[in-house]
Amino acid sequence: MSATTEKTMISLALDCVNNLLGTFGDDVKKRFKARARDMPTELFTKGFAYMITLTAARSNASLVEVGLRASRCADIMDRLSGSRGLSEEEYGYAIYGAIILYILKQAGIISGSSLSDVIKSSLNDPTIDQHAILVVEWIKRLAEAYIT
């Protein structure tokens, strides 16, 4: 992984956490922080495809896919904050999954246009897991630092 790619992903993660802070209430932020703390274990033990599928299963696949279409992290927050009928827990999973997809797509690590495309391609590309590890670790630390 190049230093430029790593810096890009860290910068995007910080931007996304900052956007989250200004968009959602305390309950959703706490659920996101909980996801940021527990999802790295899923990634380490079962891989990226399983982890991202889990975020969709516990929220909504179309909401997680928002991360693939967003050009800015603010777009993710705008789209997801406008969604109705979700519990705070479901928001936490949807935001987390969408942010991961957004960062990896913006950094050029993934290129699929749907969640199923990303899942299929990640099964044959172990480098996606390696890049995702960096992203989830930074999101975890940023969530712990900024969300009280």
Side-chain angles (χ1 to χ4, degrees), residues 10-27:
I10 294 166
S11 178
L12 290 168
L14 180 59
D15 181 48
C16 287
V17 170
N18 281 328
N19 273 279
L20 169 74
L21 294 173
T23 306
F24 289 95
D26 289 344
D27 287 342

Side-chain angles (χ1 to χ4, degrees), residues 47-112:
F48 173 77
Y50 180 84
M51 182 202 70
I52 204 66
T53 301
L54 183 60
T55 65
R58 299 230 173 122
S59 62
N60 182 306
S62 65
L63 295 179
V64 173
E65 284 180 336
V66 167
L68 295 172
R69 294 184 295 278
S71 59
R72 312 173 297 132
C73 204
D75 297 340
I76 295 170
M77 301 307 152
D78 290 345
R79 171 69 172 88
L80 295 182
S81 66
S83 298
R84 300 289 176 242
L86 296 176
S87 69
E88 285 84 5
E89 191 74 14
E90 290 168 320
Y91 272 118
Y93 279 102
I95 295 164
Y96 187 83
I99 286 174
I100 300 296
L101 291 179
Y102 166 76
I103 293 169
L104 292 174
K105 183 144 189 187
Q106 293 298 311
I109 308 304
I110 59 174
S111 60

Side-chain angles (χ1 to χ4, degrees), residues 1 9 43-44 46-50 104 109-110 118-134:
M1 173 181 341
M9 290 191 296
L43 174 61
F44 298 145
K46 296 178 182 140
F48 173 77
Y50 180 84
L104 292 174
I109 308 304
I110 59 174
V118 171
I119 291 167
K120 287 176 193 173
S121 67
S122 70
L123 293 172
N124 299 316
D125 187 352
T127 63
I128 293 174
D129 285 10
Q130 294 167 350
H131 287 94
I133 287 169
L134 173 80

Side-chain angles (χ1 to χ4, degrees), residues 25-40:
D26 289 344
D27 287 342
V28 171
K29 288 186 249 185
K30 287 178 184 174
R31 296 306 195 289
F32 174 84
K33 183 178 179 179
R35 299 299 64 79
R37 285 183 165 161
D38 66 17
M39 293 307 275

